[in-house]
Amino acid sequence: MELTQLFTRQKELDDYIEQKHDLTSRDLFEEKILALFVEIGELANETRCFKFWSVKEPSPKQVILEEYVDGIHFLLSLGLVKGLTPEKAEPFEQETTTTALFNQMYRAIDYFKDQQDEETYLIVFELYLKLARQLGFSDEDILTAYHEKNDVNFKRQDSDY
């Protein structure tokens, strides 16, 4: 997946939020790590992949995609905070369950929190792209949904969300 345009759009949003809320001098890395953990938890909840005790179906695919791109926003934002903006990333190639992939994501993000280099960042990003494939989303699905949500996020800032 080509990432350059996504990083550009994310930087515009991050700069807008940081200026609007007077956060330009603050290091938001820890907050963004926690936000990514929360978004991944919300995504897992919508997929219901771990809810072995329930027969309820997953949320509609569009709801799951919207939750997925919320995570993309924070993943891009973390890269920007650390000056890690690779031009592209490809999904991890591995066979695993969706539940196992969510658990791998949590471990990888926690590792990135301590090992803030491009190699570790790419592992997180590539696992997240693998998760997209596992959930049935293409690069085009992700890009379209990201841009739509990015526009919504700007509007939310303008309406004091």
Side-chain angles (χ1 to χ4, degrees), residues 48-147:
R48 303 182 60 80
C49 65
F50 63 96
K51 294 188 175 189
F52 59 87
W53 61 87
S54 177
V55 295
K56 187 175 174 187
E57 292 292 317
S59 294
K61 189 172 181 179
Q62 189 59 34
V63 171
I64 293 172
L65 179 58
E66 288 171 15
E67 289 297 340
Y68 181 87
V69 297
D70 285 346
I72 287 278
H73 276 84
F74 286 106
L75 190 50
L76 291 165
S77 192
L78 284 164
L80 290 166
V81 166
K82 293 301 170 185
L84 305 171
T85 56
E87 293 178 9
K88 61 186 294 187
E90 299 300 328
F92 242 72
E93 294 295 327
Q94 71 181 47
E95 292 298 319
T96 189
T97 66
T98 304
T99 300
L101 199 47
F102 274 109
N103 286 327
Q104 284 181 295
M105 282 298 310
Y106 279 113
R107 285 192 304 276
I109 294 163
D110 192 51
Y111 186 70
F112 174 66
K113 189 166 83 60
D114 298 326
Q115 187 68 34
Q116 300 166 17
D117 59 30
E118 188 162 343
E119 180 181 354
T120 308
Y121 179 71
L122 271 172
I123 289 169
V124 174
F125 217 113
E126 291 172 353
L127 281 169
Y128 204 57
L129 292 176
K130 168 64 177 171
L131 183 59
R133 297 301 181 274
Q134 193 102 350
L135 297 172
F137 303 128
S138 67
D139 287 356
E140 185 177 322
D141 294 333
I142 296 165
L143 293 171
T144 300
Y146 172 84
H147 290 297

Side-chain angles (χ1 to χ4, degrees), residues 10-19 32 77 80:
Q10 189 63 45
K11 183 168 181 3
E12 292 167 358
L13 179 61
D14 287 357
D15 288 350
Y16 190 70
I17 291 169
E18 289 172 20
Q19 289 170 8
K32 290 179 181 188
S77 192
L80 290 166

Side-chain angles (χ1 to χ4, degrees), residues 20-36:
K20 182 173 176 70
H21 297 279
D22 196 26
L23 299 168
T24 55
S25 62
R26 211 167 133 203
D27 180 1
L28 299 172
F29 182 76
E30 289 288 330
E31 285 82 354
K32 290 179 181 188
I33 286 283
L34 180 57
L36 182 56

